[in-house]
Amino acid sequence: MQFGIFSVGDVTPDPTTGREPTEHERIKAMVTIARKAEEVGLDVFATGEHHNPPFVPSSPTTMLGYIAARTERLILSTSTTLITTNDPVKIAEDFAMLQHLADGRVDLMMGRGNTGPVYPWFGQDIRQGIPLAVENYALLHRLWREDVVDWQGRFRTPLQGFTSTPRPLDGVPPFVWHGSIRSPEIAEQAAYYGDGFFANHIFWPTDHFRRLIDLYRRRYEHYGHGTAEQAIVGLGGQVFIRPNSQDAVREFRPYFDNAPVYGHGPSLEDFMAQTPLTVGSPQQVIDRTLTFREHFGDYQRQLFLTDHAGLPLKTVLEQLDLLGEQVIPVLRSEFAARRAAEVPAAPTHASLRAAKEAAMAVDPNELTDDTGELVTS
Amino acid sequence: MRTEPTRIVVVTAGVSNPSSTRVLADELAAATRRRLDAAGVAVAVEVIELRELAHALVDNLLTGFPNAPLKRAIEQVTGADGLIAVTPICTASYSALFKAFFDVLDAGAIVGLPVLIGATGGTERHSLALDHALRPLLSYLRALVVPTGVYAASTDFGARGGDTAGLARRIDRAAEEFATLVRNLPRTPVTDPYQDVVSFAELLPGRAG
C-alpha cells in the first residue's frame, strides 16, 4: 500500500496571525513539503492544478520535474490534472517528458475541475465537463499507446499522422487514476480502462463514497480487468496530529473554522463525524484510517491533505514528522496484515514494465501495434 | 393492490411555536387525508419542520452534502407520493429557510411529484407570492403543482373582520385537487445513478465494446 500527501496549493492567510505567504514562499514550501515527504518515508506527493488565485500550482509538471531532481524515491503525481481544459496532446507530452526525467516515478490523476470560470479561459464550457473528460482521455490514452495517431473528435482540432513525443518511458504509459467526488460516469470511465479510481473522500460522507467505489469495483470486474476486490482504489484523508488530542483540536480549530471549502459551516466536531477528517493523536489517526478499509475494502493508495487553510510550513513539516514516525509505519504493517492475498499493490512503473515484458514473453505479436521498439529490445 | 400507504410529506418553514404556517400545513394535510380516506386510500402523513434543519441546510449550502437528519428529510420528500409545501411570506417571497431546502435537492429529485402549495402572511396583500414565487420554483423542479394554492393571512385565522369560512373553502378545494392528482399519479421510483450505470459505450459512442 502506498501512503502520501496531496496538496491543493492554496495561498491562504494564517488565521491565527493574519500572515499570508507570497506565491514564491508557497511554491517553495510545496517543494520543501514534497522533499520532507520522501525524508519521512512517504511514497507519494501529488499536487493539484489550478488556474486562479489563491492557488499557485498552474504548472504541475514544472513543479514535479523540479521535485524529481531533488528526490530519489518519491512517486510524483497530481490531484488532479484537468482533463477537461488541458489539451490532451499537451498532457501526453508533458507527462511523458516528466516520466523520463523522473525515471518512471510518475503517475497522474485525471479530474474535471469544478471551477466554472476556468473553462472559458481555455475555450471550454463546464456544462460539457463529462463529455470533455471522456473524449479527451480517450485521445490521451491512444497518444501514449499508439506511435502514430489519426484522430477526430468534438472538442479539439483533428490530428493526422501525429506522434506524441517523447514516447512513454520503456513504452509504458504513466499509470492513471481518475478522481471524482460525485460523478458515476468517472467511476465507469476508470473501470472501462482498468485504470485506478481515486475518491477524494475528504469533503463528503463515507456512505456516498462507498456507493461510488462500489460502482467502480463492480464495473472493473464487468470489463474483465480482474475481480471487484482487485480494482485499484485510492482514497483521500485529512489529518491534523499532535501527541495529545486536545492540543490537536485546539490548534487546528481556527484553521478549520476559516478554511476554504467548508469554513464558516459545520463545526469541527460535526465535520469529523461526517467526513474522514481526523484531528487528534497519532493513535486516533491510525484507528480512523484503518476504518477506511472496512468501509471500502482493501485499497492501494492513501493520500492525506496536510498543508492547506493557512497552516504554516513549520507546522506542516511537524505533521509530516508525526505521520512518518508514528502513523505510517503502523498503518503499513496493519494494512499489510489485513490485506487479502489476491489483492494487488498499486501499479508502479516497475510493475507495469514487468507486466508488459511478461506479456511479451508469452505473445510478442500482441504488442507489435503498441511499441515496435519494445518488441525488438 | 398497493400494500404501502400513500405517503404525504409536509414541509413547513414556519419558525415560531405555535406557527400559523404549521397550522395551515396541518389543515391542508388533514383535508387531504379526509379526501383520500373517503376514497379508500390508506395515508401516512410525515411532517418536516425546516426550523429543525436550519443549521444543516446552511452547512449543506457550504459543504455540498447533507448531514444525516437532512439527508433523511430529503429522502422523505423525494420518496413521497405527494408534497404539501408551506412557507411564511418574507419580503415578498418564500422565506430563505424554505428556499434553502429546495436549493439542496438534486435537480431531478421531485420531477412529477404532486405538490400542494400554501403560504401565510400578516396581510392578504402578499397572496400572489404563491403564484409569483412558489409556483415558478416548483415548476422549475418539474413538480406538478395543483391549481389552487392556499394563502392564509391573520384575518383568515379569525382576526376582527375576517372570514374563516373562505379559508376553509380554499383548503377544501386545494385538497380535492391534490388528492385527485396523488391518487391518479403513482410515482415512478427515483433512479439511482450509482446502481443504474450509464455504460461507457453510451458515454463515448463508437468507442467501447
Side-chain angles (χ1 to χ4, degrees), chain B residues 35-127:
Chain B
R35 300 281 168 172
L36 290 171
D37 280 348
V41 177
V43 185
V45 174
E46 303 159 32
V47 179
I48 297 168
E49 284 276 6
L50 292 182
R51 185 195 169 107
E52 293 162 15
L53 300 168
H55 282 273
L57 283 166
V58 175
D59 287 351
N60 188 349
L61 293 174
L62 296 180
T63 63
F65 68 86
N67 69 9
L70 177 55
K71 185 160 186 281
R72 270 196 301 279
I74 292 169
E75 285 166 354
Q76 277 176 278
V77 168
T78 55
D81 296 297
L83 170 66
I84 297 173
V86 191
T87 178
I89 298 302
C90 304
T91 324
S93 184
Y94 33 65
S95 76
L97 187 59
F98 183 84
K99 178 64 157 49
F101 182 75
F102 290 92
D103 280 351
V104 302
L105 297 181
D106 284 338
I110 58 169
V111 171
L113 177 65
V115 182
L116 169 53
I117 52 175
T120 58
T123 138
E124 49 280 83
R125 289 187 190 87
H126 295 293
S127 61

Side-chain angles (χ1 to χ4, degrees), chain A residues 61 89-99 144 164-166:
Chain A
T61 54
V89 169
K90 198 72 177 87
I91 297 177
E93 294 172 343
D94 284 347
F95 281 87
M97 175 64 85
L98 178 62
Q99 210 192 9
W144 277 336
S164 171
T165 61

Side-chain angles (χ1 to χ4, degrees), chain A residues 49 80-85 111-116 119 126 129:
Chain A
E49 176 185 339
T80 61
T81 292
L82 301 176
I83 187 63
T84 47
T85 48
R112 279 182 297 145
N114 58 5
T115 312
Y119 283 72
I126 194 168

Side-chain angles (χ1 to χ4, degrees), chain A residues 182 188 203-204 208 211 218, chain B residues 59 62 64-65 192 194 200:
Chain A
R182 65 179 299 172
E188 169 73 2
F203 294 137
W204 279 28
H208 165 74
R211 283 149 52 82
R218 204 163 67 238
Chain B
D59 287 351
L62 296 180
F65 68 86
D192 178 349
Y194 302 102
F200 196 75

